[in-house]
């Protein structure tokens, strides 16, 4: 009987270990390919907010997924202008509108944007000992870039919350530190 119990215990342990490994593997988001950078035509890459322009011939990873969302999802906050003429390019995907930099709005990486399912919903962003609610109005495209539709900027990484100046201000981040910031976020 002791052998049966030991054998059963080992079998259950192995099954649990395999299940955990498969579950962990399913949550990994790997690049789904690359796009080759093209040099922007003169004056076509808006570098407001220190935005990057694509480099000729450089390979940029693309993602169709983002890390799993939790009540405390880790991400990188980046700075974006959602105003007409800003570095965000055209109007927002969710409502085909431009938004003031004084309004707390964000664009989420492709996987988190989830084909628009988070459109016009609020998320809570936390960093620097503070939190702010912001409305999802756009996608930070992780699958395309380096073209006119994307202001000749590279594709977003898969863990980006691209935020207006109002979000940065609400988090109390000094202006000279604006650009990239480790944060957490959650759905409201």
């Amino acid at each position: 009987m002791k052998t049966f119990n030991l054998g059963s215990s080992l079998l259950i342990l192995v099954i649990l270990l395999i299940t955990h490994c498969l579950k962990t593997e399913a949550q990994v988001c790997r690049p789904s390919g690359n796009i080759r950078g093209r040099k922007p035509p003169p004056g076509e890459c808006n570098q407001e907010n220190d935005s990057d322009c694509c480099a000729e011939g450089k390979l940029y990873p693309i993602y169709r997924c983002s890390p799993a969302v939790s009540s405390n999802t880790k991400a990188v906050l980046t700075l974006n202008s959602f105003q007409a003429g800003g570095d965000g390019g055209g109007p927002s995907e969710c409502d085909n509108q431009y938004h003031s930099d004084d309004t707390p709005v964000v664009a989420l990486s492709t996987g988190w944007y989830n084909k628009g399912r988070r459109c016009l919903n609020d998320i809570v962003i936390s960093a620097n000992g503070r939190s702010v609610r912001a409305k999802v109005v756009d996608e930070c495209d992780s699958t395309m870039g380096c073209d006119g539709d994307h202001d000749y900027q590279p594709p977003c990484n898969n863990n980006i919350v691209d935020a207006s100046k109002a979000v940065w201000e609400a988090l109390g981040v000094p202006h000279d530190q604006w650009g990239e910031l480790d944060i957490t976020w959650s759905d409201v």
Side-chain angles (χ1 to χ4, degrees):
M1 195 58 137
K2 288 181 182 178
T3 305
F4 177 75
N5 287 339
L6 179 61
S8 297
S9 297
L10 283 174
L11 179 61
I12 290 170
L13 183 63
V14 168
I15 290 171
L16 288 173
L17 184 61
I18 290 171
T19 303
H20 175 73
C21 289
L22 289 174
K23 183 179 177 184
T24 301
E25 181 66 24
Q27 294 176 355
V28 173
C29 177
R30 292 192 171 90
S32 29
N34 293 295
I35 61 168
R36 188 170 302 279
R38 296 188 323 219
K39 184 178 179 182
E44 291 295 314
C45 182
N46 185 336
Q47 292 187 286
E48 178 185 13
N49 300 319
D50 295 322
S51 295
D52 291 330
C53 294
C54 291
E56 182 74 34
K58 181 177 178 180
L59 290 178
Y60 296 94
I62 58 171
Y63 297 88
R64 289 185 173 77
C65 56
S66 291
V69 175
S70 68
S71 61
N72 212 22
T73 308
K74 292 181 180 182
V76 175
L77 190 72
T78 55
L79 180 60
N80 188 40
S81 175
F82 294 84
Q83 296 184 152
D87 65 336
S92 298
E93 283 291 318
C94 293
D95 58 6
N96 202 33
Q97 302 290 315
Y98 290 100
H99 298 270
S100 168
D101 287 338
D102 298 327
T103 304
V105 293
V106 298
L108 297 177
S109 294
T110 297
W112 290 336
Y113 180 72
N114 198 11
K115 299 178 183 168
R117 289 186 182 98
R118 285 195 168 85
C119 271
L120 306 179
N121 291 327
D122 286 353
I123 63 171
V124 174
I125 300 165
S126 300
N128 210 29
R130 295 185 182 184
S131 293
V132 60
R133 282 176 79 125
K135 186 174 297 301
V136 176
V137 296
D138 208 351
E139 174 184 17
C140 192
D141 200 337
S142 305
T143 65
M144 302 288 290
C146 299
D147 57 16
D149 287 344
H150 297 90
D151 209 20
Y152 293 95
Q153 295 174 10
C156 284
N157 284 329
N158 66 343
N159 64 338
I160 298 296
V161 175
D162 205 17
S164 65
K165 292 176 182 178
V167 171
W168 287 83
E169 288 171 353
L171 292 173
V173 180
H175 286 240
D176 64 341
Q177 294 176 19
W178 287 12
E180 287 192 3
L181 178 68
D182 289 335
I183 61 156
T184 59
W185 72 272
S186 64
D187 290 309
V188 173

